């Protein structure tokens, strides 16, 4: 299934009442260049732990994703997926209870009112999708994943 990404209406956090004072700090240029996306090509990359690490910060995971050259999906793609949940593969709801996540969309880095760097994420609880925001200072552990495309 191919989703069209409407880049004519750019995402901005001030579209949400609770995020009025937030701003975009950086975006993945390769993700922003996408005008459509084949949902079957989206990969969920587990948090990039090394050695005996039990967890790493979101900032460290972001550094490792960049080093590996993944296309980190941006917030405009997240909102396109959000508005088209019916086309999402059932595989995205991984557990028999229909739970999964968090799935981070690190192609858009935001700054909250205190200057903290954040990203949006999706999760599924009891078969229902929801979204939230995570500070990149937070610890990511097993079970956390990043939504990416692998360059061809």
């Amino acid at each position: 299934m191919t989703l069209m990404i409407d880049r004519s209406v750019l995402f901005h956090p001030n579209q949400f009442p609770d995020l009025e004072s937030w701003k975009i700090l950086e975006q993945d240029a390769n993700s922003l260049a996408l005008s459509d996306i084949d949902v079957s090509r989206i990969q969920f990359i587990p948090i990039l732990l090394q050695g005996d690490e039990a967890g790493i910060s979101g900032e460290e995971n972001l550094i490792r994703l960049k080093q590996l050259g993944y296309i980190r999906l941006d917030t405009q793609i997240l909102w396109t997926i959000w508005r088209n949940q019916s086309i999402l593969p059932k595989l995205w709801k991984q557990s028999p209870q229909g739970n999964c996540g968090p799935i981070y969309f690190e192609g858009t880095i935001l700054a909250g009112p205190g200057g903290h760097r954040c990203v949006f994420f999706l999760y599924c609880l009891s078969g229902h999708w929801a979204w939230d925001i995570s500070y990149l200072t937070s610890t990511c552990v097993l079970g956390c994943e990043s939504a990416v495309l692998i360059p061809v």
Side-chain angles (χ1 to χ4, degrees), residues 43-119:
Q43 301 288 312
F44 296 145
I45 302 299
I47 294 307
L48 298 169
L49 300 174
Q50 297 175 353
D52 62 352
E53 293 174 328
I56 56 175
S57 72
E59 289 286 4
E60 181 60 30
N61 193 64
L62 181 62
I63 290 167
R64 293 176 186 181
L65 285 170
K66 288 178 180 180
Q67 288 172 342
L68 292 170
Y70 292 121
I71 299 171
R72 296 166 288 116
L73 300 187
D74 66 89
T75 303
Q76 195 76 21
I77 293 173
L78 177 145
W79 294 119
T80 301
I81 290 169
W82 180 258
R83 289 188 303 271
N84 295 281
Q85 294 176 33
S86 63
I87 62 97
L88 294 177
K90 294 201 186 309
L91 193 62
W92 282 31
K93 298 178 185 178
Q94 297 170 340
S95 76
Q97 296 80 24
N99 299 334
C100 76
I103 302 168
Y104 296 106
F105 285 72
E106 291 135 317
T108 302
I109 309 300
L110 304 165
H116 300 286
R117 291 165 48 93
C118 309
V119 295

Side-chain angles (χ1 to χ4, degrees), residues 110-130:
L110 304 165
H116 300 286
R117 291 165 48 93
C118 309
V119 295
F120 279 94
F121 67 92
L122 287 178
Y123 64 99
C124 191
L125 189 59
S126 300
H128 299 284
W129 287 100

